[in-house]
Amino acid sequence: MTARYVVVTGGGAELSSGGEFRSACHSPHRVAEDDAGPRGAGALARRRNSGVARMIIAALAPVRIRSLSSVMLVIALGSASGAAPADRGRAAFIEAHRCAVVERLRSIHLRGPRSTSRDRFIAVRITAAEQSYVQCIFFDEDTKMHCEAASGAYGPRTEALRLERSPSSIPALHRLGFTQGDPNGNYAREIALGTPPALDVAADLMLGALHDAYGARLDTRLEFTAPRAALPRHACPGPVS
């Protein structure tokens, strides 16, 4: 099995299988095919000062895919009638922003082409914290998504600008199924969406990670990057970034 590579740039992104990749802002690079595994899972990124809008290149080892039911169980726990205040706050945050994510994903899905992953991604970040983001990209005819949560590996190294995580951040990402195959890469996981794709599953995973790992709350301002999405006006109630 060959390693897969994700390329995310300010002008393009794609998920491909070994060999050669192209992006809108960079000339072709050649990367060696490798068997997916501990050695093949190392990050290939070389630009450490880039965020969501700049290049992220990672070789991905196979990630255990949680079943749809297990993801929905996590979501359901946050909205149970007897939930604690913290859980109710989580549910309110996800509910407030779910439409903004789902409608962008729906637009990307409907516009296609589903035979490629190029540019067909969404990234959501906390406006006040450049390195606090989660991003997902469609692949396999839109039946799956590869998702990454920021580790700070690609951000500034200066103490004033680097990503500072709380002690609970990494355990929170692990509970959501994210793992870090390489200490110099992001946390990653894949999710199965099914046919037609269950877009709310991806949205709830992304927003749940922003809440649980990066401290986003109901009054936190978010920014969305989705170059292939055309969000209809008034698609979602309330203000949408």
Side-chain angles (χ1 to χ4, degrees):
M1 181 177 180
T2 58
R4 285 195 303 279
Y5 301 92
V6 174
V7 182
V8 179
T9 73
E14 61 186 319
L15 185 68
S16 59
S17 295
E20 189 174 273
F21 63 79
R22 292 175 180 267
S23 72
C25 299
H26 299 80
S27 57
H29 299 262
R30 190 74 185 174
V31 292
E33 291 189 355
D34 194 2
D35 290 336
R39 295 178 63 86
L44 300 180
R46 293 294 179 264
R47 293 180 59 188
R48 302 303 187 195
N49 62 343
S50 57
V52 175
R54 299 187 178 89
M55 183 183 293
I56 299 173
I57 310 169
L60 308 173
V63 180
R64 179 174 59 86
I65 301 175
R66 285 189 177 183
S67 67
L68 194 63
S69 60
S70 66
V71 174
M72 295 306 295
L73 177 59
V74 172
I75 297 167
L77 290 175
S79 58
S81 59
D87 292 330
R88 290 197 295 271
R90 183 184 194 273
F93 169 75
I94 292 175
E95 182 65 25
H97 297 286
R98 182 186 287 118
C99 179
V101 178
V102 168
E103 289 305 315
R104 284 172 169 83
L105 290 175
R106 191 188 317 280
S107 176
I108 297 170
H109 170 66
L110 293 177
R111 291 183 69 186
R114 299 171 196 173
S115 57
T116 180
S117 60
R118 184 168 179 78
D119 293 346
R120 306 181 68 241
F121 72 95
I122 182 173
V124 186
R125 77 175 181 91
I126 296 174
T127 302
E130 182 179 347
Q131 289 299 306
S132 295
Y133 65 86
V134 183
Q135 58 191 14
C136 293
I137 189 168
F138 282 108
F139 74 102
D140 200 7
E141 298 287 339
D142 291 3
T143 63
K144 299 175 183 177
M145 296 198 85
H146 168 75
C147 298
E148 293 184 0
S151 66
Y154 305 106
R157 294 298 186 179
T158 60
E159 185 172 348
L161 297 176
R162 69 186 180 189
L163 174 64
E164 294 293 339
R165 292 187 301 263
S166 69
S168 62
S169 293
I170 296 176
L173 290 174
H174 288 169
R175 285 193 297 271
L176 291 171
F178 288 93
T179 58
Q180 188 180 33
D182 187 301
N184 295 317
N186 281 332
Y187 294 89
R189 68 159 296 175
E190 292 177 3
I191 54 175
L193 302 178
T195 304
L199 302 176
D200 57 333
V201 172
D204 287 9
L205 176 68
M206 297 180 76
L207 294 168
L210 286 170
H211 178 279
D212 298 352
Y214 305 105
R217 295 297 182 263
L218 192 57
D219 60 350
T220 301
R221 184 173 177 81
L222 303 180
E223 290 187 4
F224 302 82
T225 302
R228 293 289 296 168
L231 192 66
R233 195 172 184 181
H234 308 307
C236 300
V240 176
S241 301

